[in-house]
Amino acid sequence: GQSSESEYSDLGPVNFKIFDIIQDHGNDLRGIPYEERFALAQRIVSERCQCWPSIVQSSLWPFQQKNTCCPISTVNSELVADAGDLVNLKNSLIAQGAEGIVLRAPGSLYETKRSKLSIKMKKSADGECKVLGYEAGTGRISGLVGAVQCQLCENGRLTGTRFNIGTGFDDSQRNPDWMESNIPIGSILTFSYMNLTNDGIPRHPVF
């Protein structure tokens, strides 16, 4: 059916967000790494937006409203260093009203199916675990605590699931004295995680 312009005049301008491109002038791009596909999408959007004002002002424009802001753009894409940075980025975007983020594996090709190379990450779940011990840090954090060894709690009861929490701590919190005073062995620790693996282990647990 047809709709008049007045039906949608109070909705404001619409922006079409582009997150990937898999074909260009008949060329299949699915075998090209994500970074190259996304760079191409950005270049195409930039070219289209340059000519948008002239399209709006032309005699062929069918609407009374002439919004010169380009209605297409690419989503924001950035590289994260580790799981801690990932969680901080996700939490920041959710605080701004986003539902979550989509993770893309660096250098990944496009797969026309549910793929482990492209994962949705929404609001974190919270969990509790019993502190079993500490794992020594290595490299830059040698001499500090690298991770807290935990046993998962569900509904106030211990399960047989054991895992480590190694992200979310700053260097001062990794100090063994701080750990023993604030997260002693035997205490219950609250943490955030993305979801559970098929084995029931928290994925990307963060202090």
Side-chain angles (χ1 to χ4, degrees):
Q2 295 183 345
S3 300
S4 65
E5 178 184 3
S6 60
E7 288 184 62
Y8 305 103
S9 59
D10 61 339
L11 297 181
V14 174
N15 189 269
F16 185 78
K17 291 288 188 179
I18 296 172
F19 60 88
D20 206 339
I21 181 172
I22 61 174
Q23 191 178 79
D24 180 38
H25 293 88
N27 296 317
D28 189 350
L29 306 179
R30 290 175 294 178
I32 295 177
Y34 167 72
E35 292 84 351
E36 295 181 30
R37 298 197 312 272
F38 190 72
L40 176 60
Q42 289 178 308
R43 188 161 63 251
I44 292 174
V45 167
S46 176
E47 293 171 354
R48 298 297 185 272
C49 286
Q50 287 178 11
C51 64
W52 178 252
S54 61
I55 295 175
V56 173
Q57 298 299 331
S58 75
S59 59
L60 298 178
W61 184 251
F63 306 116
Q64 291 182 358
Q65 293 183 349
K66 295 186 176 183
N67 182 15
T68 56
C69 294
C70 186
I72 58 174
S73 62
T74 53
V75 299
N76 294 328
S77 180
E78 59 183 278
L79 187 67
V80 294
D82 52 37
D85 284 347
L86 173 61
V87 171
N88 289 336
L89 173 63
K90 182 210 63 175
N91 290 341
S92 173
L93 292 174
I94 287 177
Q96 298 174 48
E99 293 184 2
I101 58 179
V102 176
L103 311 182
R104 289 293 186 94
S108 59
L109 308 183
Y110 190 91
E111 295 185 334
T112 53
K113 61 180 181 179
R114 185 181 293 273
S115 173
K116 292 182 179 180
L117 303 177
S118 179
I119 302 175
K120 292 180 181 179
M121 185 178 182
K122 298 186 177 183
K123 292 183 179 180
S124 297
D126 290 328
E128 291 185 335
C129 65
K130 181 178 180 180
V131 177
L132 302 179
Y134 313 111
E135 188 174 281
T138 59
R140 188 189 67 81
I141 57 173
S142 179
L144 302 176
V145 174
V148 176
Q149 299 168 337
C150 295
Q151 185 171 3
L152 186 64
C153 297
E154 289 184 354
N155 299 319
R157 296 183 177 182
L158 290 174
T159 70
T161 302
R162 297 192 178 194
F163 61 100
N164 290 349
I165 301 177
T167 57
F169 305 103
D170 60 33
D171 285 355
S172 64
Q173 293 171 326
R174 292 184 184 277
N175 185 293
D177 291 335
W178 187 93
M179 283 282 180
E180 291 175 1
S181 297
N182 295 274
I183 312 177
I185 293 175
S187 65
I188 300 299
L189 174 65
T190 300
F191 65 97
S192 298
Y193 64 99
M194 191 171 81
N195 53 24
L196 296 176
T197 68
N198 292 335
D199 296 325
I201 300 173
R203 180 178 281 118
H204 301 310
V206 178
F207 171 65

